[in-house]
Amino acid sequence: MTSSAVPDIDDPASDPAEVAAVAADRVRELTGVASFDVALVLGSGWGGAAAHLGEQIGEVPADGVPGLSASGVPGHSGTLRAIRYADAAGEARHALVLGARTHYYEGKGVRRVAHGVRVAATAGASVVVLTNGCGGLRPEWLPGTPVLINDHINLTADSPIEGATFVDLTDLYSSRLRAVAREVDASLDEGVYVQFRGPHYETPAEVQMAKRIGGDLVGMSTALEAIAARQAGLEVLGLSLVTNLAAGISDAPLSHAEVIGAGQAAGPRIGALLAEIVRRIG
């Protein structure tokens, strides 16, 4: 296929599903994997999980796949990786690891935010694991605490779904997959994730608003991807890593360096946790 035949994801007249199909073909070609079983979007702190899961058999620069681009955010790899692993029954499986998350605040449009999970679904995945680093609203969740997402509140005022397409978001964050995660670690807590637009951190008043409307975690990703994943027919597992207490919950100032530092400190433990959850998913 020539480059002129590749549909432009930024063209409003293009079909996001068509762009995802072209991109999925490119991923298959470059990785040599005909079909993936699970996809993982690795956010801040979660990047080392792939090494715990299995053998890397392919790596693709994000900008080599139509519609994708390397993230401009420190802590994200900018590549797609194919991992071969054995599930809990010993069967060979393939995971597509998306380290090139596009954040809404980067200004590239909601189509690009949703594109990665759409590519994963088109490449065969039936499950997507969405991870992030986030601010915690519960003082007992110290930095380094992993939390299962059981629901979200989308405060971006946007949606990846276009037109009169009505998608049921009941049990968006699969209760089945959360049960599998608790089989691995019964101590895992659950909470509601609130996505703000970013890139600025939330004010203490905004954090209190999030708390009063039912939020437990605040961040700048995940919700829009989860909606797109549900539309694409993927079963969704969401996992947050509390990298800091949200503004006003503690007196400490917020910084991205703190987020990265907390993720690095927790990396080996949460990487092993995530790998074992994925093996049990199948």
Side-chain angles (χ1 to χ4, degrees), residues 27 29-30 33 37 45 79 90 93 97 127 141 150 153 163 182 185 197-198 203 207 210 240 242 256 259 273 277:
V27 171
E29 174 190 351
L30 294 176
V33 177
D37 300 285
T79 65
R93 303 285 187 179
V97 177
V127 170
W141 289 348
N150 59 20
I153 298 171
R182 286 193 297 273
D185 184 349
R197 293 173 62 96
T203 68
V207 167
S240 288
V242 176
H256 192 61
V259 170
L273 169 68
I277 292 170

Side-chain angles (χ1 to χ4, degrees), residues 185-210:
D185 184 349
S187 71
L188 285 170
D189 274 338
E190 298 189 358
V192 175
Y193 180 88
V194 182
Q195 180 175 354
F196 285 82
R197 293 173 62 96
H200 52 275
Y201 290 109
E202 306 78 22
T203 68
E206 288 169 337
V207 167
Q208 287 302 313
M209 175 192 73

Side-chain angles (χ1 to χ4, degrees), residues 107-162:
K108 297 177 181 178
V110 71
R111 281 188 172 190
R112 287 186 177 264
V113 172
H115 187 54
V117 296
R118 287 173 171 152
V119 172
T122 309
S126 59
V127 170
V128 64
V129 181
L130 302 175
T131 68
N132 61 61
C134 71
L137 274 61
R138 298 191 195 177
E140 65 269 25
W141 289 348
L142 300 177
T145 301
V147 179
L148 291 167
I149 301 174
N150 59 20
D151 207 342
H152 78 232
I153 298 171
N154 174 16
L155 295 183
T156 68
D158 209 340
S159 172
I161 300 175
E162 301 176 19

Side-chain angles (χ1 to χ4, degrees), residues 2-225:
T2 64
S3 59
S4 61
V6 176
D8 181 3
I9 194 172
D10 298 317
D11 180 356
S14 68
D15 180 356
E18 181 183 353
V19 184
V22 173
D25 285 344
R26 183 66 172 156
V27 171
R28 293 189 188 100
E29 174 190 351
L30 294 176
T31 62
V33 177
S35 183
F36 292 88
D37 300 285
V38 63
L40 296 89
V41 180
L42 299 182
S44 298
W46 297 92
H52 291 269
L53 180 58
E55 176 191 5
Q56 180 173 308
I57 58 174
E59 185 170 15
V60 181
D63 56 11
V65 178
L68 292 179
S69 57
S71 173
V73 182
H76 294 264
S77 71
T79 65
L80 285 72
R81 288 174 285 168
I83 304 294
R84 182 166 52 223
Y85 68 99
D87 66 15
E91 297 293 326
R93 303 285 187 179
H94 291 94
L96 178 62
V97 177
L98 300 163
R101 167 179 267 159
T102 296
H103 295 80
Y104 187 70
Y105 58 72
E106 293 179 60
K108 297 177 181 178
V110 71
R111 281 188 172 190
R112 287 186 177 264
V113 172
H115 187 54
V117 296
R118 287 173 171 152
V119 172
T122 309
S126 59
V127 170
V128 64
V129 181
L130 302 175
T131 68
N132 61 61
C134 71
L137 274 61
R138 298 191 195 177
E140 65 269 25
W141 289 348
L142 300 177
T145 301
V147 179
L148 291 167
I149 301 174
N150 59 20
D151 207 342
H152 78 232
I153 298 171
N154 174 16
L155 295 183
T156 68
D158 209 340
S159 172
I161 300 175
E162 301 176 19
T165 304
F166 305 105
V167 177
D168 180 17
L169 300 184
T170 305
D171 196 35
L172 171 57
Y173 298 92
S174 167
S175 55
R176 182 187 78 86
L177 295 182
R178 284 185 277 125
V180 171
R182 286 193 297 273
E183 289 175 2
V184 177
D185 184 349
S187 71
L188 285 170
D189 274 338
E190 298 189 358
V192 175
Y193 180 88
V194 182
Q195 180 175 354
F196 285 82
R197 293 173 62 96
H200 52 275
Y201 290 109
E202 306 78 22
T203 68
E206 288 169 337
V207 167
Q208 287 302 313
M209 175 192 73
K211 187 175 181 179
R212 290 175 184 176
I213 64 176
D216 302 291
L217 308 157
V218 292
M220 307 173 194
S221 66
T222 304
L224 295 172
E225 294 163 324

Side-chain angles (χ1 to χ4, degrees), residues 242-269:
V242 176
T243 55
N244 57 274
L245 294 178
I249 303 298
S250 80
D251 295 330
L254 305 181
S255 73
H256 192 61
E258 177 187 19
V259 170
I260 294 176
Q264 290 173 339
R269 178 172 56 85

